[in-house]
Amino acid sequence: MKEKDKKALHDQIVKEVKQDFEERRQKRRPVELAWRLNMNFLMGNQYASITPTGDIDDYGRQYYWQEREVYNHIAPIVETRLAKLTRVKSGVSIRPKTSDECDVQSAKFATAILQSIMEENCFSALLQKANGWAETCGSVFYKIAWNNEKGKKFILDGKTVYDGDVDITVCPPFEIYPENLQIESLQDQPSIIHAKAYSVDDVKRIWGVDVKGEDVNVFTLDKTGVTGGFGYTASVPKIIDEVRHDAVIVIEKYEKPTAKFKDGRLIIVAGDTLLYLGDLPYVNGEGGKRQYPFIKQNSLDNVGVFFGTSVIERIIPVQRAYNALKNRKHEFLNRLSMGVLATEDGSVDTDQLEAEGLAPGKILVYRQGSNPPALLNPGSIPHDFYLEENRLLEEFTMISGVSEIMKYSELPDNVTSGVAISMLIEQDDTRISVTAENIREAVRESGKHILRLYKQFAKSRRLRSIAGENGELEMLYFGASDLTSDDLVLDTENELIETPSSRKNMVLELMNLGLLTDENGRYSERTKCKILETLGFGNWENSRDIADLHLKKAQRENRAFGEREIIPDSFDDHEIHIEEHTKFMLSPEFDMDGKMKETIAAHVNKHREFIDAANINL
């Protein structure tokens, strides 16, 4: 293709991408306004509303004396939900499909590698940030890509190069533009646009291209006085627009694989410049397919809608009613305390009376022959005010799923039964378990994407330090062939339903029932190690259980049998070693390897000789 025709084609692609982006932005406009309204209410700007012109604005006071204080119940509700969701851990474990020893050991190895990778990327902190966006706007996205400028640094031919590593970022929903707002699944979307504002310097640093800067609108926080009454004012944060100068919107359009583009397509546009045009870069789907490098996490799912919903959207009407009720109630109290004077026209100096009021000891002069000013009977606050306030507080609990136990960390006064308390706590966990399950699913998908990216790009073997169960550090070499994510199942524990306390109680109940002992009613050394680990004593005061150390030594010997001759030591716990070596020998991996079996069998026989010699001495 001639250079002139190539440039014309690129210009046409840039024009189509920018036009597509503008159309998606207009279609997503109502959803975006709802997100901005949620953010305003969360931060305390609760007299904001969506105007007919499609913007967020505040409506002013109708009267100068009108109370417009904010009684923010949304912020503590969201904070309570976030605190509850912190129990959903970011760690993942890989569960083997079978109980074969080779699958078990491969799963343990891949789990250790995956956990180390996620810790290096501070995935736990990213998860908390993502939860904040999801609870505010309803949805958040993870972008898991491969960064060639991360990882270990090398000097090659005088140049600094890196071996690359996974790069995980949290994308707010404002940056994601789906093609169809009615398709729920992200991977079912025909295409996805990721748009973000970059400075022209960042574009030059990342893509090596000079682009023309322009003014870009971004969100920022500002303080505005919108509350108070009778002259009192208070400042609350408000989401407003701000213009960012010398910037450009970088549009990344990801297209799903089709008959025309079997590996999909990625187009990156900045301003009027085409930065990239090619296939989808990552083999991160099931069965070695290419798909989008994004993972969606919803707070609450919407049926037939791409973006999720937030509890803030449901609480906003209740919050508005509560603010109005409290302010009208305080206005009533102001009338009760300050009073309302009635005077005849011309009987007193009304300007002076209005300025000074009825101060104690004040001499009030009124026109002779007229009636003196008198306070009108204000009555009392209607009882309906108190009933409505209680009803609104109950609606906060009913709609948000955050009860008194979660919000105040205390039990209701009328609940004293232990069974009832357990049921209330279980109900609290149930209300938030839908959101917790969405988080767990996002963590699982993130683990799969990470392993598949390493399988695609980490061709050379790498050295990584792994923290063992007892706090010791192990240095492990691994490569792409060691991470078989397609053959394993990623799994995370449901911490909300199954808490550490419930697991400990379950273990104690199983011990009382005698289900963990052998036919002689005794606990094996391996069972003791597992019980102590479950009860939380696996790393108790950094002391290493002798049986656990024997178990780990036997497992290390299993991995080294094919490399060198291993002779049992006299101080070995021979029964533990025989059990571990036998399990390893029965795995399908060594069915056809007769030499390996002979080596392990000879090693096991030497352990038995130690046992026989000890019995003879007794």
Side-chain angles (χ1 to χ4, degrees), residues 497-533:
I497 298 176
E498 189 173 308
T499 63
S501 299
S502 63
R503 288 174 62 87
K504 293 176 183 178
N505 291 332
M506 185 183 299
V507 171
L508 294 176
E509 291 178 3
L510 293 175
M511 293 175 62
N512 292 333
L513 294 174
L515 298 178
L516 302 179
T517 58
D518 56 16
E519 61 275 7
N520 298 322
R522 297 190 306 173
Y523 296 100
S524 66
E525 293 298 328
R526 180 166 186 156
T527 302
K528 291 180 182 178
C529 292
K530 292 297 181 183
I531 292 175
L532 290 174
E533 180 181 347

Side-chain angles (χ1 to χ4, degrees), residues 21-22 25-26 28-29 32 36 54-55 174-175 177 195-199 213-221 239-250:
F21 170 65
E22 188 61 32
R25 183 159 57 178
Q26 294 301 323
R28 206 197 64 176
R29 180 73 173 174
E32 184 177 314
R36 293 174 60 187
D55 202 358
F174 293 97
E175 299 179 0
Y177 297 82
K196 186 177 180 180
Y198 287 83
S199 67
E214 56 186 2
D215 294 339
V216 178
N217 285 331
V218 295
F219 294 126
T220 185
L221 294 179
I239 299 293
I240 63 173
D241 291 336
E242 182 188 34
V243 177
R244 183 175 176 183
H245 302 287
D246 201 23
V248 64
I249 296 179
V250 176

Side-chain angles (χ1 to χ4, degrees), residues 305-427:
V305 179
F306 178 76
F307 292 105
T309 186
S310 168
V311 293
I312 299 178
E313 297 179 31
R314 304 174 179 178
I315 304 173
I316 283 178
V318 183
Q319 182 67 65
R320 281 180 170 148
Y322 188 79
N323 287 338
L325 176 71
K326 293 286 285 187
N327 284 313
R328 300 299 81 76
K329 184 177 176 182
H330 286 178
E331 290 168 3
F332 211 109
L333 290 172
N334 286 338
R335 293 189 182 95
L336 286 176
S337 59
M338 300 172 65
V340 178
L341 279 173
T343 64
E344 291 184 4
D345 186 20
S347 63
V348 295
D349 186 350
T350 55
D351 293 337
Q352 181 184 10
L353 186 62
E354 182 180 3
E356 299 180 0
L358 292 177
K362 178 180 178 63
I363 300 176
L364 184 62
V365 179
Y366 62 95
R367 182 171 54 83
Q368 186 175 4
S370 63
N371 294 320
L375 290 171
L376 297 179
N377 183 15
S380 59
I381 299 179
H383 187 63
D384 291 339
F385 272 70
Y386 300 100
L387 295 178
E388 181 64 15
E389 184 175 351
N390 291 331
R391 281 194 291 263
L392 289 175
L393 290 175
E394 292 176 359
E395 285 192 40
F396 276 118
T397 300
M398 178 186 67
I399 295 176
S400 66
V402 176
S403 68
E404 297 178 5
I405 300 177
M406 296 173 65
K407 187 186 298 184
Y408 305 114
S409 300
E410 61 183 18
L411 296 172
D413 295 335
N414 56 347
V415 178
T416 56
S417 171
V419 177
I421 293 172
S422 301
M423 292 180 63
L424 287 175
I425 296 175
E426 184 177 352
Q427 289 173 3

Side-chain angles (χ1 to χ4, degrees), residues 107-218:
K108 287 183 178 180
F109 179 81
T111 298
I113 295 297
L114 179 58
Q115 290 177 348
S116 175
I117 295 170
M118 298 181 83
E119 288 176 2
E120 286 189 2
N121 283 272
C122 302
F123 191 81
S124 179
L126 293 175
L127 184 64
Q128 300 306 318
K129 179 181 178 182
N131 290 344
W133 277 109
E135 288 299 303
T136 303
C137 301
S139 295
V140 72
F141 299 84
Y142 300 91
K143 185 178 182 181
I144 302 180
W146 187 264
N147 190 344
N148 291 320
E149 296 182 357
K150 290 184 65 176
K152 188 173 294 185
K153 182 171 66 173
F154 299 95
I155 304 298
L156 183 64
D157 296 333
K159 297 181 179 179
T160 302
V161 295
Y162 299 85
D163 58 0
D165 206 341
V166 169
D167 191 11
I168 307 174
T169 55
V170 174
C171 300
F174 293 97
E175 299 179 0
I176 303 298
Y177 297 82
E179 181 173 330
N180 192 331
L181 292 174
Q182 279 69 50
I183 297 179
E184 296 181 43
S185 174
L186 184 146
Q187 300 302 334
D188 291 340
Q189 289 283 343
S191 64
I192 288 288
I193 286 181
H194 178 212
K196 186 177 180 180
Y198 287 83
S199 67
V200 293
D201 295 334
D202 289 337
V203 174
K204 176 67 175 178
R205 178 179 55 83
I206 298 173
W207 287 280
V209 178
D210 291 316
V211 295
K212 183 180 179 181
E214 56 186 2
D215 294 339
V216 178
N217 285 331
V218 295

Side-chain angles (χ1 to χ4, degrees), residues 92-98 100-114 482 484 487-489:
V92 293
S93 61
I94 300 178
R95 185 179 50 187
K97 286 187 175 181
T98 67
D100 296 332
E101 186 66 22
C102 59
D103 287 341
V104 173
Q105 295 301 325
S106 177
K108 287 183 178 180
F109 179 81
T111 298
I113 295 297
L114 179 58
D482 298 320
T484 56
D487 300 330
L488 301 171
V489 180

Side-chain angles (χ1 to χ4, degrees), residues 61 68-70 223-229 231-237:
R61 290 189 181 91
R68 294 188 71 219
E69 295 292 345
V70 172
K223 289 187 177 294
T224 178
V226 298
T227 61
Y232 294 100
T233 59
S235 295
V236 296

